[in-house]
Amino acid sequence: MTRTDTDRWQAVDLWFADHLLPADPAGEAALAANAAAGLPPHDVSPLQARFLGMVAKMIGARRVLEIGTLGGYSTLHLARALGPAAQVVTLEFNPHHADVARANLTAAGVMDRIDLRVGPAHDHLPDLAAAVEDGSEPPFDLIFIDADKPSNPVYLDWSMMLVRPGSVILADNVVRDGRVTDPDGDASVQGVRSFTGMVAADPRLEATVLQTVGVKGHDGFMLIRVASV
C-alpha cells in the first residue's frame, strides 16, 4: 500500500459521498463534537453509516443492538433509519464517550428511541439475553458489533442468544489493514480470527466479508445472516 493508493481511496470515497449522500448537519455536528471531546477517530465513514442504515431498512429492523457506541455517530444513523417507533440499544464502556454520545443524540432529536447503557458490554448482555429468553423483550433484528476486537468471540456467543431466524449481525473492522491473515497478529487480530472461526463452524450462520478502502483505510465488515437459532 502506497501513499498514492490511500490518497486515491480517500478521493474516491469523498467523491461518492458528495454524489450520493444528502446534507447531514446532525452527523457532521456529531463528528465535530467527538473530535472536540478528544474521542478517537474510530467512527464509521459517512458512506458506511449510510450502509448500516440501509441494511436496517432492507431487513425491516425494529430493534437494533449496537455493541460499541463511541460518540454515537453510527447510533444516530441507525436510529434515523429505523424511525421513531423502533429502538436502538447501544452499549458503551467509556463514561466520557457515553456522555458525548448522549449529547450528540439528544441534539439530533433521536434520543427518545435510544437505550444507552454505560459500562462493560459483558455486564449488560446477560440482562438483555434474559429479557429475550423470558419474552419480556423481543429478539434483536440487527446487531452491530464495533467494540474491542479481542472480545468479538464473546460478543458472538451472546448475540446468538439475542436474535431470531432472519436476524443480521454486522461486525466492523475485521480486515485490519490485511493483518487478519497473520496467525501471529496482535490481540485484535486474534479476536477477529477466532470470531471468524466460530462463524465458519456454526451451521446456523451464513456469512461473507465486504472489504472496504476509503477514508478509513483498508478494512471491512463481516455480514452474517442468522438462518436458525
Side-chain angles (χ1 to χ4, degrees):
M1 180 176 63
T2 67
R3 178 68 180 175
T4 301
D5 291 330
T6 56
D7 288 347
R8 184 180 297 114
W9 295 344
Q10 292 182 23
V12 170
D13 225 29
L14 294 171
W15 187 87
F16 276 115
D18 184 55
H19 283 76
L20 297 178
L21 302 184
D24 184 15
E28 292 174 3
L31 291 176
N34 293 352
L39 272 61
H42 296 164
D43 312 271
V44 296
S45 73
L47 286 171
Q48 291 167 347
R50 168 62 74 92
F51 171 76
L52 292 174
M54 289 179 65
V55 170
K57 287 181 179 180
M58 286 188 288
I59 66 171
R62 305 307 299 160
R63 194 168 190 240
V64 170
L65 171 63
E66 178 183 53
I67 304 175
T69 314
L70 194 59
Y73 183 67
S74 54
T75 323
L76 165 60
H77 283 78
L78 287 166
R80 287 195 304 206
L82 269 60
Q87 181 192 47
V88 179
V89 178
T90 185
L91 311 179
E92 175 52 48
F93 173 81
N94 187 303
H96 173 56
H97 296 178
D99 287 343
V100 174
R102 188 176 293 105
N104 286 336
L105 296 166
T106 299
V110 298
M111 194 64 209
D112 60 335
R113 66 196 76 166
I114 292 168
D115 179 358
L116 173 57
R117 304 188 186 194
V118 184
H122 307 76
D123 292 348
H124 296 294
L125 290 166
D127 293 336
L128 293 170
V132 170
E133 183 178 13
D134 68 20
S136 57
E137 295 286 355
F140 288 93
D141 306 302
L142 174 65
I143 296 178
F144 180 43
I145 301 174
D146 191 17
D148 57 311
K149 309 313 169 191
S151 296
N152 270 15
V154 177
Y155 298 148
L156 181 62
D157 278 337
W158 283 111
S159 292
M160 294 307 295
M161 303 179 198
L162 295 166
V163 291
R164 56 169 178 77
S167 292
V168 169
I169 301 170
L170 271 166
D172 196 12
N173 307 127
V174 297
V175 174
R176 314 207 59 77
D177 286 319
R179 296 191 301 273
V180 69
T181 61
D182 181 3
D184 300 315
D186 62 20
S188 292
V189 167
Q190 296 305 321
V192 172
R193 287 173 66 92
S194 296
F195 174 82
T196 303
M198 290 171 62
V199 172
D202 194 326
R204 300 170 297 175
L205 301 176
E206 309 174 311
T208 191
V209 165
L210 303 175
Q211 290 194 71
T212 59
V213 294
V215 296
K216 306 301 291 185
H218 178 204
D219 218 316
F221 291 94
M222 186 178 293
L223 176 65
I224 304 165
R225 178 180 177 273
V226 180
S228 62
V229 295

